[in-house]
Amino acid sequence: MKEFDFIRRYLNTCQDKDVILGIGDDAAIVRPRSGYDLCFSSDMLLAGRHFFHGTDPADVAHKVLGVNISDMAAMGAVPRWILLSVALPDLDEEWIEAFTSSLFDVAGQHGVTLIGGDTTKGDWVFNVTIVGEVPTGKALRRDAAVVGDDIWISGRIGLAAAALQHELGNLILPDSVAVACRSALLHPTPRVALGLELLPFAHAAQDISDGLAQDLGHILKASGVGAELFVGQLPTLSGLKESLPTSALHRCLLAGGDDYELVFTAAEQDRDKVLRAAELSKTPVARVGKVNDTGRLKIFNGQGKEIQLDSWGFDHFG
Ligand code: ADP
Ligand code: MG
C-alpha cells in the first residue's frame, strides 16, 4: 500500500459541516461557532517510551486520542477536530485497519473529526493535535485557584501507574486488580462531560497525566497559592489499596501518572454544584484537599501525619 492509498482509504472519513475543507489539500479549514474560543493542544506517544513496542494497535489509537481529548476536558472545552501525524516502519494493512478502526471509534464517541495530519516512515511515533471550542473567555485554566477553594478529583487514580509497575515487575498485583489497572493504563477515560458541567463555576482545572502531586503543583504555582492534600480521601481501586504496601500505594496515587482524571478547585459554597455536575456527567468526584495561602503543597496520610515524597511525578528529563 502507498502513502496516498493509506490516506484516501483509511483516513479520509470527514463528515462535519463545520469543516470547510478536510483531508486532501495543503491545509484544512474549519469554521468555529461564533461566541467560542479555540483551544489547541498536542500530545505525542513514542513506542518504547509511552507504550511498549508491540502494543495492540487498537490500544495505541485509543490512548493517543484519549490523552488529547483529556486536555480538552481539562479546559472545559468541547473537542472538535484532530490532526494525526504518524511515523510507521511500514504500511501494514492489518495493523492500520485495527489502528484506524479504534481511532474512529473513540473519535465518534466524542464527536471528534480527523481533518489532516502527516505520514512518514519511521519508528512508531504518534502525534495528535486537537482543537476544541470553549465559550469565549470561560476556559478552565491552571492559574485560577483561590485561597479557601476545595480541591476535587474525578474518578479513581493510581491504577495506570500500578499497571505499569506490575508490567515492569516492580510490584505484584492479584490478577483481577491487574486487569482493572491495565485497562486504566490502555484506555484512559477523558472527562469531557464533567469539564463542561464545571465550566460555569469551577476555578482552576487540569488533567492528571504526570502524577497528582506534580500536576496539582502546577495549579498551585500558576495560581500563586498552596494546599493541603489528604491521601486518605483519594479515590482508588479498593483492591489496589489492599494489595500494595503503603509506600507503593502512595507513589501510585501521588507520583504515578497516566491517570487522565481531572483535578480542579471550586469555592466551598459551590460543593452542591460540584456534586450536581458529577451527577449530570455521570462522573464520580471526591473532595481531597484545600487551597491555602502557604505557597506550598503539604500532603497528609490517613493519620494526619505529613508525608514526604521522594519523587513528585513523572519527568522525561528527571
Ligand atoms: P503535504 O505535502 O502538504 O505535507 P501530504 O501529502 O503529507 O501533504 O498529505 C496530503 C493530505 O493528507 C493532507 O491534507 C494531510 O493533512 C493529509 N494527511 C496526511 N497524513 C495524514 C494522517 N496521518 N492523518 C490524517 N491526514 C493525513
Ligand atoms: Mg505532509
Side-chain angles (χ1 to χ4, degrees), residues 88-218:
L88 301 169
D90 50 42
L91 294 177
D92 176 281
E93 283 210 48
E94 205 178 318
W95 196 97
I96 283 166
E97 212 159 308
F99 178 86
T100 52
S101 106
S102 164
L103 186 85
F104 287 119
D105 200 26
V106 178
Q109 285 165 30
H110 291 276
V112 172
T113 305
L114 179 66
I115 57 167
D118 201 17
T119 305
T120 170
K121 196 174 170 101
D123 194 22
W124 305 109
V125 181
F126 301 86
N127 181 73
V128 167
T129 298
I130 191 161
V131 185
E133 289 176 326
V134 66
T136 307
K138 295 285 191 281
L140 299 173
R141 300 163 45 139
R142 294 181 181 186
D143 61 3
V146 176
V147 172
D149 276 359
D150 292 321
I151 300 169
W152 300 80
I153 59 176
S154 66
R156 297 181 301 195
I157 60 172
L159 285 72
L164 179 62
Q165 293 310 320
H166 177 76
E167 283 184 35
L168 293 172
N170 295 334
L171 52 84
I172 298 165
L173 299 173
D175 286 349
S176 65
V177 176
V179 168
C181 290
R182 196 176 139 74
S183 159
L185 177 65
L186 294 174
H187 299 160
T189 310
R191 302 301 193 177
V192 176
L194 176 64
L196 295 178
E197 293 296 338
L198 293 174
L199 207 51
F201 66 89
H203 291 162
Q206 85 160 85
D207 67 333
I208 310 171
S209 55
D210 296 326
L212 175 61
Q214 178 165 292
D215 288 335
L216 175 58
H218 295 319

Side-chain angles (χ1 to χ4, degrees), residues 156 173-174 176-178 181 236-244 249:
R156 297 181 301 195
L173 299 173
S176 65
V177 176
C181 290
T236 189
L237 188 68
S238 56
L240 198 57
K241 254 192 223 163
E242 287 149 20
S243 48
L244 289 184
L249 179 67

